[in-house]
Amino acid sequence: MPTRAVPETIGPAPAVLEANQRFYAAFHSLDIAKMSSVWLQEDWIQCVHPGWDLIIGWDEIRDSWARIFANTRRIQIALSGVRVHAEGDVAWVACTEHITSAFESSFDEALVQATNMFVLREGAWYLVGHHASLLLNVPESKVQ
Amino acid sequence: MPTRAVPETIGPAPAVLEANQRFYAAFHSLDIAKMSSVWLQEDWIQCVHPGWDLIIGWDEIRDSWARIFANTRRIQIALSGVRVHAEGDVAWVACTEHITSAFESSFDEALVQATNMFVLREGAWYLVGHHASLLLNVPESKVQ
């Protein structure tokens, strides 16, 4: 879970960044109820996990997180290069995820580039798109 | 370049799909002037090529396409699983790119998942975000 939030913002979008932090807190918690609360639970939302095919709609996206959570014992996520842009009631955050995962009998480290899309509904920002992909190189100096 | 546009649309967003087609036509053309015309040329726009770090701002994004075009002799791109969603003056398209590239002395085939983000400016849709990442598997049956 990111503990230091010193993002490079473009425009003042603290509420979007807070929604982004809630997403990563839910990811860190491995708690499907927390993860459910950050997404807009509609049938058009989309998710791409690293190397996975596109997943459309909340039901399938929820299932994908449930599978990831069931197969992960513990996860640490640090973010770097956090950038936000808001355009009306839509906003997106780009960030690099530094992920350490503990599984049943192994560890894995990954550097992942993510684009997270949010929409504003009744005063709250909800996640509607997550595109995450593995980076080929690990630029250690970029870790915040 | 995609020749058959029979996308699975969510909501009627033909102008967005047309902008998406113009992007892939520009990619296919390897012509930087055409590629320049599809992007909103501002300093906050973003691009992730497969495995590359996030690129921010038109100047650097333009340079990245110029590098790709300079190193590619010919490219064919077919799309599948095209989905669009519009939210006010923002829209995004998810699609799978089936790319065949010819270089100086080699060929490469890649299956890439892309999220393309557009904004509406004075009646026209411009690309403001492109996140492309390699898929691990090649599901041949999905090619349209």
Side-chain angles (χ1 to χ4, degrees), chain B residues 75-88:
Chain B
I75 195 161
Q76 295 292 335
I77 309 164
L79 299 184
S80 66
V82 180
R83 299 187 74 100
V84 60
H85 181 81
E87 190 86 24

PDB file of all heavy atoms in Angstrom, chain B residues 75-88:
ATOM      1  N   ILE B  75       3.871  -1.906 -41.749  1.00  0.00           N
ATOM      2  CA  ILE B  75       3.113  -2.442 -40.620  1.00  0.00           C
ATOM      3  C   ILE B  75       1.669  -2.711 -41.038  1.00  0.00           C
ATOM      4  O   ILE B  75       1.089  -1.937 -41.820  1.00  0.00           O
ATOM      5  CB  ILE B  75       3.188  -1.475 -39.400  1.00  0.00           C
ATOM      6  CG1 ILE B  75       2.725  -2.168 -38.118  1.00  0.00           C
ATOM      7  CG2 ILE B  75       2.377  -0.197 -39.644  1.00  0.00           C
ATOM      8  CD1 ILE B  75       3.195  -1.454 -36.853  1.00  0.00           C
ATOM      9  N   GLN B  76       1.149  -3.838 -40.560  1.00  0.00           N
ATOM     10  CA  GLN B  76      -0.262  -4.167 -40.775  1.00  0.00           C
ATOM     11  C   GLN B  76      -0.916  -4.278 -39.408  1.00  0.00           C
ATOM     12  O   GLN B  76      -0.349  -4.899 -38.505  1.00  0.00           O
ATOM     13  CB  GLN B  76      -0.413  -5.507 -41.512  1.00  0.00           C
ATOM     14  CG  GLN B  76       0.123  -5.505 -42.929  1.00  0.00           C
ATOM     15  CD  GLN B  76      -0.680  -4.621 -43.875  1.00  0.00           C
ATOM     16  OE1 GLN B  76      -1.855  -4.363 -43.650  1.00  0.00           O
ATOM     17  NE2 GLN B  76      -0.036  -4.128 -44.924  1.00  0.00           N
ATOM     18  N   ILE B  77      -2.078  -3.683 -39.269  1.00  0.00           N
ATOM     19  CA  ILE B  77      -2.780  -3.736 -37.989  1.00  0.00           C
ATOM     20  C   ILE B  77      -4.235  -4.128 -38.250  1.00  0.00           C
ATOM     21  O   ILE B  77      -4.934  -3.446 -38.998  1.00  0.00           O
ATOM     22  CB  ILE B  77      -2.772  -2.371 -37.272  1.00  0.00           C
ATOM     23  CG1 ILE B  77      -1.358  -1.804 -37.197  1.00  0.00           C
ATOM     24  CG2 ILE B  77      -3.388  -2.481 -35.870  1.00  0.00           C
ATOM     25  CD1 ILE B  77      -1.318  -0.324 -36.873  1.00  0.00           C
ATOM     26  N   ALA B  78      -4.653  -5.221 -37.624  1.00  0.00           N
ATOM     27  CA  ALA B  78      -6.074  -5.598 -37.641  1.00  0.00           C
ATOM     28  C   ALA B  78      -6.591  -5.460 -36.210  1.00  0.00           C
ATOM     29  O   ALA B  78      -5.862  -5.725 -35.252  1.00  0.00           O
ATOM     30  CB  ALA B  78      -6.233  -7.022 -38.135  1.00  0.00           C
ATOM     31  N   LEU B  79      -7.823  -5.010 -36.082  1.00  0.00           N
ATOM     32  CA  LEU B  79      -8.399  -4.828 -34.749  1.00  0.00           C
ATOM     33  C   LEU B  79      -9.478  -5.873 -34.484  1.00  0.00           C
ATOM     34  O   LEU B  79     -10.189  -6.295 -35.387  1.00  0.00           O
ATOM     35  CB  LEU B  79      -9.040  -3.443 -34.630  1.00  0.00           C
ATOM     36  CG  LEU B  79      -8.147  -2.224 -34.814  1.00  0.00           C
ATOM     37  CD1 LEU B  79      -8.957  -0.956 -34.549  1.00  0.00           C
ATOM     38  CD2 LEU B  79      -6.939  -2.276 -33.881  1.00  0.00           C
ATOM     39  N   SER B  80      -9.593  -6.253 -33.218  1.00  0.00           N
ATOM     40  CA  SER B  80     -10.741  -7.067 -32.809  1.00  0.00           C
ATOM     41  C   SER B  80     -11.210  -6.582 -31.443  1.00  0.00           C
ATOM     42  O   SER B  80     -10.520  -5.821 -30.767  1.00  0.00           O
ATOM     43  CB  SER B  80     -10.370  -8.553 -32.769  1.00  0.00           C
ATOM     44  OG  SER B  80      -9.422  -8.797 -31.771  1.00  0.00           O
ATOM     45  N   GLY B  81     -12.394  -7.017 -31.064  1.00  0.00           N
ATOM     46  CA  GLY B  81     -12.927  -6.672 -29.733  1.00  0.00           C
ATOM     47  C   GLY B  81     -13.011  -5.179 -29.483  1.00  0.00           C
ATOM     48  O   GLY B  81     -12.731  -4.715 -28.375  1.00  0.00           O
ATOM     49  N   VAL B  82     -13.405  -4.418 -30.492  1.00  0.00           N
ATOM     50  CA  VAL B  82     -13.451  -2.956 -30.351  1.00  0.00           C
ATOM     51  C   VAL B  82     -14.670  -2.553 -29.511  1.00  0.00           C
ATOM     52  O   VAL B  82     -15.804  -2.928 -29.834  1.00  0.00           O
ATOM     53  CB  VAL B  82     -13.529  -2.278 -31.739  1.00  0.00           C
ATOM     54  CG1 VAL B  82     -13.576  -0.762 -31.588  1.00  0.00           C
ATOM     55  CG2 VAL B  82     -12.352  -2.701 -32.600  1.00  0.00           C
ATOM     56  N   ARG B  83     -14.436  -1.834 -28.440  1.00  0.00           N
ATOM     57  CA  ARG B  83     -15.524  -1.375 -27.574  1.00  0.00           C
ATOM     58  C   ARG B  83     -15.330   0.094 -27.281  1.00  0.00           C
ATOM     59  O   ARG B  83     -14.216   0.532 -27.013  1.00  0.00           O
ATOM     60  CB  ARG B  83     -15.523  -2.142 -26.258  1.00  0.00           C
ATOM     61  CG  ARG B  83     -15.718  -3.637 -26.430  1.00  0.00           C
ATOM     62  CD  ARG B  83     -15.877  -4.304 -25.086  1.00  0.00           C
ATOM     63  NE  ARG B  83     -17.185  -4.030 -24.538  1.00  0.00           N
ATOM     64  CZ  ARG B  83     -18.216  -4.871 -24.580  1.00  0.00           C
ATOM     65  NH1 ARG B  83     -18.073  -6.048 -25.153  1.00  0.00           N
ATOM     66  NH2 ARG B  83     -19.375  -4.567 -24.051  1.00  0.00           N
ATOM     67  N   VAL B  84     -16.418   0.832 -27.272  1.00  0.00           N
ATOM     68  CA  VAL B  84     -16.319   2.273 -27.023  1.00  0.00           C
ATOM     69  C   VAL B  84     -17.274   2.659 -25.915  1.00  0.00           C
ATOM     70  O   VAL B  84     -18.366   2.082 -25.782  1.00  0.00           O
ATOM     71  CB  VAL B  84     -16.610   3.073 -28.318  1.00  0.00           C
ATOM     72  CG1 VAL B  84     -18.003   2.786 -28.836  1.00  0.00           C
ATOM     73  CG2 VAL B  84     -16.439   4.568 -28.109  1.00  0.00           C
ATOM     74  N   HIS B  85     -16.855   3.618 -25.114  1.00  0.00           N
ATOM     75  CA  HIS B  85     -17.745   4.201 -24.107  1.00  0.00           C
ATOM     76  C   HIS B  85     -17.499   5.702 -24.067  1.00  0.00           C
ATOM     77  O   HIS B  85     -16.355   6.144 -23.989  1.00  0.00           O
ATOM     78  CB  HIS B  85     -17.491   3.589 -22.728  1.00  0.00           C
ATOM     79  CG  HIS B  85     -18.413   4.145 -21.685  1.00  0.00           C
ATOM     80  ND1 HIS B  85     -19.701   3.698 -21.524  1.00  0.00           N
ATOM     81  CD2 HIS B  85     -18.260   5.155 -20.796  1.00  0.00           C
ATOM     82  CE1 HIS B  85     -20.293   4.387 -20.566  1.00  0.00           C
ATOM     83  NE2 HIS B  85     -19.441   5.276 -20.101  1.00  0.00           N
ATOM     84  N   ALA B  86     -18.577   6.474 -24.116  1.00  0.00           N
ATOM     85  CA  ALA B  86     -18.453   7.933 -24.041  1.00  0.00           C
ATOM     86  C   ALA B  86     -19.113   8.430 -22.770  1.00  0.00           C
ATOM     87  O   ALA B  86     -20.134   7.891 -22.329  1.00  0.00           O
ATOM     88  CB  ALA B  86     -19.111   8.569 -25.259  1.00  0.00           C
ATOM     89  N   GLU B  87     -18.502   9.433 -22.211  1.00  0.00           N
ATOM     90  CA  GLU B  87     -18.980  10.010 -20.947  1.00  0.00           C
ATOM     91  C   GLU B  87     -18.770  11.515 -21.093  1.00  0.00           C
ATOM     92  O   GLU B  87     -17.677  12.028 -20.843  1.00  0.00           O
ATOM     93  CB  GLU B  87     -18.132   9.415 -19.818  1.00  0.00           C
ATOM     94  CG  GLU B  87     -18.581   9.676 -18.423  1.00  0.00           C
ATOM     95  CD  GLU B  87     -19.630   8.658 -17.924  1.00  0.00           C
ATOM     96  OE1 GLU B  87     -19.682   7.523 -18.440  1.00  0.00           O
ATOM     97  OE2 GLU B  87     -20.380   9.036 -17.028  1.00  0.00           O
ATOM     98  N   GLY B  88     -19.835  12.201 -21.541  1.00  0.00           N
ATOM     99  CA  GLY B  88     -19.686  13.634 -21.787  1.00  0.00           C
ATOM    100  C   GLY B  88     -18.719  13.867 -22.931  1.00  0.00           C
ATOM    101  O   GLY B  88     -18.836  13.252 -23.997  1.00  0.00           O
TER     102      GLY B  88
END
